[in-house]
Every structure is written in C-alpha cells, then in structure tokens.
Amino acid sequence: KLMELYFQKGNLDEDEMRAGIKKGMMSHDIFPVFCLSAKKNMGSGRLMGFIDNVAPSAIEMPAERTTDGQELFCKVDGPPVLFVFKTLVEPHLGKLTFFKVLSGEVVAGTDLVNSDTGVTERIGQLFIMDGKNRNPIDRLKAGDIGSTLKLKSTLTNHSLTAKGSGIKIEPIQFPVPRIRVAIIAKNKTDDEKL
C-alpha cells in the first residue's frame, strides 16, 4: 500500500513512513540503527522520540514461539513467563540475570520453575537497570525488561514459568564462536571470585 501511495504522490508523509517503519520492525524486516553519544548527550533525544513515536510496543509485536510450536501472546492476565536473554557475574554480588516478562506478571518473592532444568527458582529481588545502577521494584508486567540476583540454575536462553505450565521459549540462535577458551575454578566456591 505504501509503495502504491509513493508512486501516486511521489513521496510519503511522516505518518505514512512511521507506519511503514513500524510494520517493518514488527515483521523483523527493518532494524533501525542510531548513532549517538550518551556521554555528550548527542542523539539520545532523537532515539527516545523514535522509541516513543515509532517503535512498536510489546503488545503490538507478534507472539513469541515456544519450542513445541505454540504462540505466547504478551498479556498481563496470562501465565507468568520470563525469558532470560543475558547473564552477568558482578563482583561482590554474584550472578545478575536479565530477563523479559513475556506473559503475566512477576512479583518479588515469586517461585518460578526453570523449564530447561526443572529447578524451582525464587525471584527474591526485582530491579530495573539504569546503566550500572539497580532500581528496586515490586513487580514487572508483560512487556517489561528487568533483572534479578542469585538465580542458581538459570542461564541465558532459559525460560522461567509458573509451576506446571511447562512453557519453554525458543532460544536465541547465537553465532558459532570461532575460538573457545574456558576458565574453570578448581573450587566451586571460587566461581564468584573468578
């Protein structure tokens, strides 16, 4: 439709371009790139404006796929499902786990089951990250991105769900590394120091 409009009018107005970019982002055909400097506060306003005015919200995005081929829609009233997309080890803190709430909501103190390992994990604290600062929060809802500390058996690409739901999200396909190096502590208690 936008191509036909372009051929008829010779150009597209801002609203039409915004709709086309949004649709392209939702279908994963367009990946906008912004050059900015947070240190010099250059371009950050434009990026925030783009996120606010153009980027699709989590509710507008297509459903996530589970490993058994089902679709998981971003709904606050759905079962709680968290997908871990990053894991870091912080000195003096331990393991910091970053996740996206794909469905339902999670409250600090909730017990969720790791669909990959079958281990029950307690989400003791919830944070919203602001750079290196952790801002404590009581609850996160579908579409939110947050972090928590000290999950023992949960790693990147794992799914955390309510007991009995068994929902497992398709993992991120990372490129195969060309060079592998592993450092392992002799004593398990030295993992955090390492």
Side-chain angles (χ1 to χ4, degrees):
K1 286 181 181 178
L2 288 173
M3 279 296 248
E4 288 173 12
L5 271 174
Y6 177 75
F7 288 133
Q8 286 173 6
K9 299 190 315 184
N11 63 358
L12 297 173
D13 63 32
E14 246 183 74
D15 290 333
E16 292 163 342
M17 285 192 286
R18 187 179 299 125
I21 293 170
K22 187 175 196 172
K23 193 168 182 100
M25 289 175 69
M26 289 170 65
S27 62
H28 299 254
D29 291 326
I30 295 177
F31 298 91
V33 177
F34 286 79
C35 296
L36 58 99
S37 170
K39 189 174 182 178
K40 296 181 181 180
N41 197 20
M42 294 171 58
S44 53
R46 180 165 286 197
L47 174 64
M48 292 298 141
F50 179 84
I51 291 170
D52 185 43
N53 296 321
V54 181
S57 71
I59 295 170
E60 296 172 304
M61 290 297 289
E64 292 286 338
R65 306 288 293 167
T66 62
T67 53
D68 59 0
Q70 301 294 316
E71 291 184 334
L72 180 69
F73 291 95
C74 183
K75 293 182 186 175
V76 177
D77 60 350
V81 179
L82 279 58
F83 180 73
V84 177
F85 62 87
K86 186 175 184 175
T87 310
L88 294 174
V89 177
E90 287 281 321
H92 312 295
L93 279 177
K95 197 164 28 166
L96 184 61
T97 304
F98 294 85
F99 59 85
K100 181 175 181 181
V101 182
L102 299 179
S103 173
E105 72 175 4
V106 63
V107 181
T110 303
D111 288 334
L112 296 174
V113 177
N114 184 325
S115 299
D116 297 82
T117 63
V119 175
T120 300
E121 297 272 22
R122 174 158 289 229
I123 310 294
Q125 299 168 304
L126 290 172
F127 303 102
I128 292 180
M129 298 301 290
D130 183 13
K132 64 180 180 178
N133 300 323
R134 294 181 312 278
N135 300 320
I137 192 162
D138 293 332
R139 66 181 61 233
L140 292 169
K141 296 182 180 183
D144 290 340
I145 293 175
S147 63
T148 190
L149 291 168
K150 301 179 181 175
L151 296 182
K152 292 182 173 48
S153 301
T154 301
L155 302 171
T156 302
N157 268 344
H158 285 186
S159 303
L160 296 169
T161 63
K163 189 173 184 176
S165 71
I167 297 170
K168 187 175 173 186
I169 303 300
E170 283 188 2
I172 301 167
Q173 299 299 321
F174 294 108
V176 178
R178 298 287 177 225
I179 300 171
R180 287 180 181 258
V181 176
I183 300 171
I184 300 167
K186 285 184 180 180
N187 190 347
K188 193 83 171 149
T189 57
D190 292 334
D191 275 346
E192 288 184 17
K193 290 180 186 176
L194 183 64

